[in-house]
Amino acid sequence: MPLDKETIASRDRARRLVLLSVWGVVLLGLPLWWQTTVVYRAELPYADIERWDDWMACQPTFLINVNLHLSNSIALQSDQDGPSTLVDIKDSVSERVKALNADYASKANFAVHVDIDQSWSGSKEGDISDRPSAVPGTYDFYISPSNVTSASIKTQRQGFIQVQTWDKDRIVGTVTETLNTIFGAEERTIKQLVSGVDGIGANKVRDQLKTVKYAPGYQLTFSLFSGDASNGVREWKVQEAINVYLAPFLKSMSSISKFTVESQVQHYASLTFTPHRDTGANEYYLTPESLPNFINAAEWSLASTISSLPSLNFLVYVPKPNESPLVIKNGPGATSPTNSFLISRWGGISILNRDSTVSASPVITVQELEPVIKVFLTQLRDLMGLTDFSAAKTSSHPIVFHKLMNEAPTAWELDNLLRRRSAENLVDSLTTLRSLAKLVRDTPNMVVLDHIQKDVVDALNDIERSCKKLAEQGASMEALSASREALIKSETAFFDPTMVSMLYFPDEHKYAIYMPLFVPVSVPLVMAVARELKKRREAKKAAAKAGKEKAE
């Protein structure tokens, strides 16, 4: 039975409504689906990070205050008016010190501020040696006439300079050479660090100094490796030795980095090679070529299981009785006086050949460990980056640098390390933030949560605070603390585990997953729309034709 027009029209309307409702669900659902699958990315302060390019946001200024105290026991030669001469000496010293490293172009400013007076009586050092400056970065130099030009640098920010000819030019020259010996290498190092803000210069300087990368704390692992149980070693008094010889150093360094200490003993720690034998000297020896293979990484357990801090290893090796004594030879007939060697940024190794009179004892005593621990202390100083001022050869007159009896770092060494570590932290923090910004920009699917944005903003604030504190008198510790916080926050943001959660699910993966669903569904819908449009055009043509025939 043929359907009437009203029934056909009713069915067409129902079909169009169904089609329209399906397309409505699709059009409303697609944006909702896209929004729920989009990666959340908090906006990073790219502009603020770029402000630190070439240190435009803040130029780091490392302030050094030098107070010159001239003896008033003898008037200066050619001294027509004392105050004027003092001002001339002050200005001349300032200009010469500034010109010494002017060839090292850098965004860092190493500012040496000089003050001078002639109120010192010129009496012996004992009258003033008990009143050193307690402010980091502020140093007092006491200058007096003498038969010989020399300098004596005490441990607590004091220096005594003796000048043979008591006139302005000789005083200026002697003081300038002394200051250059103390601060010249540091200034060049810091300028190289800051100039290498892209990381290349910083790594180069750090390689030269053999220092480990700065960290707020380090794990010191002292390991005793016994080549064979037959040597009788069962125990070593390493804790007592550390308390005697190493504890003062660690306590003084705690203002820069904290240290935790652990020890271990491992028996049957065999070498991966057989040492050479010197039959003439009746000893076994290692050559420099064999030292890189000394550590048996496959069998020796060196990793710390109780700390996540960067680890520095100090290893004592007691050789087998049939390979003893074991020495290190640097060349023909040249035996290492310490029988030890340093591995840059890793730690140190010392070979302990026990004396025949004590080798039967199962305990390695504190007395036996004394030379070993002292060698480890020297190696630890190198790894921490402490400057050996006595090695400087930039002065024409003798300069004696005094050391503390317990080998703890002097105030000069700590101040030097404070400034260099602050510069290193600032450079590393900015390098990390730049790398993070580039990574986020180049990886659209990387998640950036709000706490990452906060860490980046806080790191930038700490960088600026540290930069400003460097230029303030006596604020070196605050500058280091701020730079340390900046380094921690920048690395926390860069290595945040949430940032890699979507790296393996990019948009291409979305298409690959959802295309098998959307394509089969969309084809019938598109075809249905096409049929409806076709019917609508045909209906319009039929209506137009009917109207034309009716009009005729």
Side-chain angles (χ1 to χ4, degrees), residues 481-497:
S481 178
S483 69
R484 179 195 299 128
E485 291 298 318
L487 181 63
I488 293 173
K489 291 171 183 175
S490 62
E491 293 188 343
T492 299
F494 188 85
F495 295 105
D496 192 282

Side-chain angles (χ1 to χ4, degrees), residues 176-253:
T176 301
E177 285 191 12
T178 304
L179 293 180
N180 186 46
T181 301
I182 298 173
F183 301 114
E186 176 189 353
E187 179 180 358
R188 291 188 290 273
T189 299
I190 288 178
K191 287 185 173 181
Q192 288 180 45
L193 280 167
V194 175
S195 297
V197 72
D198 57 355
I200 298 175
N203 289 334
K204 179 180 178 182
V205 172
R206 219 173 287 138
D207 283 335
Q208 292 172 347
L209 298 178
K210 298 182 180 180
T211 60
V212 295
K213 184 178 183 296
Y214 176 80
Y218 297 94
Q219 172 74 42
L220 303 184
T221 302
F222 292 86
S223 304
L224 173 64
F225 284 82
S226 177
D228 193 333
S230 61
N231 59 24
V233 176
R234 298 291 183 273
E235 182 185 354
W236 63 329
K237 299 295 183 180
V238 65
Q239 187 61 54
E240 292 83 348
I242 290 174
N243 291 337
V244 174
Y245 303 111
L246 198 59
F249 175 86
L250 299 181
K251 182 178 180 181
S252 297
M253 288 289 294

Side-chain angles (χ1 to χ4, degrees), residues 353-420:
N353 295 303
R354 303 191 70 193
D355 190 273
S356 58
T357 58
V358 298
S359 59
S361 172
V363 179
I364 299 179
T365 65
V366 174
Q367 288 71 26
E368 287 184 85
L369 288 174
E370 177 182 355
V372 174
I373 297 298
K374 287 185 176 180
V375 168
F376 286 162
L377 175 57
T378 301
Q379 293 173 340
L380 183 57
R381 290 175 64 92
D382 291 338
L383 291 168
M384 289 293 102
L386 287 169
T387 299
D388 183 8
F389 290 105
S390 60
K393 305 295 183 182
T394 59
S395 175
S396 61
H397 60 274
I399 301 179
V400 177
F401 290 90
H402 294 263
K403 296 183 178 180
L404 294 171
M405 294 295 294
N406 56 14
E407 294 296 328
T410 65
W412 300 88
E413 293 172 328
L414 285 175
D415 290 355
N416 177 296
L417 189 60
L418 275 173
R419 291 185 289 266
R420 287 192 292 108

Side-chain angles (χ1 to χ4, degrees), residues 39-44 46 49-50 430-448 452 456 490-504:
V39 174
Y40 179 77
R41 291 163 63 88
E43 185 68 18
L44 295 182
Y46 298 108
I49 295 176
E50 291 172 355
L430 288 172
T431 302
T432 302
L433 291 178
R434 289 192 182 93
S435 299
L436 175 61
K438 185 178 185 303
L439 182 64
V440 171
R441 278 176 167 169
D442 294 344
T443 314
N445 293 285
M446 176 173 284
V447 176
V448 183
I452 298 175
V456 172
S490 62
E491 293 188 343
T492 299
F494 188 85
F495 295 105
D496 192 282
T498 63
M499 297 187 68
V500 297
S501 60
M502 292 294 290
L503 285 181
Y504 305 103

Side-chain angles (χ1 to χ4, degrees), residues 26-305:
V26 171
L27 295 177
L28 291 176
L30 278 176
L32 180 61
W33 164 78
W34 187 265
Q35 187 64 31
T36 54
T37 58
V38 73
V39 174
Y40 179 77
R41 291 163 63 88
E43 185 68 18
L44 295 182
Y46 298 108
D48 292 339
I49 295 176
E50 291 172 355
R51 285 178 59 239
W52 286 95
D53 290 343
D54 295 328
W55 302 92
M56 292 184 294
C58 173
Q59 183 183 25
T61 299
F62 297 84
L63 181 62
I64 304 293
N65 290 308
V66 174
N67 299 318
L68 303 179
H69 308 282
L70 270 65
S71 171
N72 58 13
S73 59
I74 301 178
L76 288 170
Q77 295 182 16
S78 303
D79 184 5
Q80 302 300 326
D81 49 356
S84 177
T85 303
L86 293 181
V87 172
D88 292 341
I89 293 175
K90 170 186 173 181
D91 294 342
S92 298
V93 171
S94 299
E95 292 173 2
R96 289 196 187 183
V97 170
K98 184 177 181 180
L100 285 173
N101 293 304
D103 294 339
Y104 288 82
S106 174
K107 295 296 181 181
N109 182 23
F110 204 84
V112 179
H113 182 266
V114 181
D115 282 327
I116 191 170
D117 62 64
Q118 197 174 3
S119 59
W120 179 39
S121 65
S123 60
K124 296 298 182 180
E125 300 173 6
D127 296 342
I128 53 178
S129 60
D130 58 345
R131 302 194 305 272
S133 170
V135 180
T138 298
Y139 309 96
D140 294 295
F141 291 88
Y142 297 87
I143 308 168
S144 61
S146 177
N147 296 328
V148 178
T149 299
S150 64
S152 174
I153 309 301
K154 298 298 183 179
T155 60
Q156 298 296 324
R157 303 187 183 94
Q158 286 182 327
F160 295 88
I161 300 176
Q162 295 180 320
V163 183
Q164 185 175 16
T165 304
W166 194 240
D167 60 23
K168 186 190 78 170
D169 292 339
R170 180 58 63 90
I171 292 174
V172 170
T174 304
V175 171
T176 301
E177 285 191 12
T178 304
L179 293 180
N180 186 46
T181 301
I182 298 173
F183 301 114
E186 176 189 353
E187 179 180 358
R188 291 188 290 273
T189 299
I190 288 178
K191 287 185 173 181
Q192 288 180 45
L193 280 167
V194 175
S195 297
V197 72
D198 57 355
I200 298 175
N203 289 334
K204 179 180 178 182
V205 172
R206 219 173 287 138
D207 283 335
Q208 292 172 347
L209 298 178
K210 298 182 180 180
T211 60
V212 295
K213 184 178 183 296
Y214 176 80
Y218 297 94
Q219 172 74 42
L220 303 184
T221 302
F222 292 86
S223 304
L224 173 64
F225 284 82
S226 177
D228 193 333
S230 61
N231 59 24
V233 176
R234 298 291 183 273
E235 182 185 354
W236 63 329
K237 299 295 183 180
V238 65
Q239 187 61 54
E240 292 83 348
I242 290 174
N243 291 337
V244 174
Y245 303 111
L246 198 59
F249 175 86
L250 299 181
K251 182 178 180 181
S252 297
M253 288 289 294
S254 63
S255 60
I256 298 177
S257 296
K258 305 295 182 182
F259 296 89
T260 58
V261 179
E262 68 171 0
S263 63
Q264 63 173 342
V265 178
Q266 183 172 331
H267 300 289
Y268 299 101
S270 59
L271 299 175
T272 58
F273 57 89
T274 302
H276 303 281
R277 185 176 182 181
D278 186 344
T279 55
N282 193 25
E283 64 184 12
Y284 294 83
Y285 66 92
L286 304 176
T287 61
E289 292 76 18
S290 62
L291 296 182
N293 301 317
F294 185 88
I295 298 176
N296 187 348
E299 299 180 9
W300 296 4
S301 176
L302 294 169
S304 174
T305 59

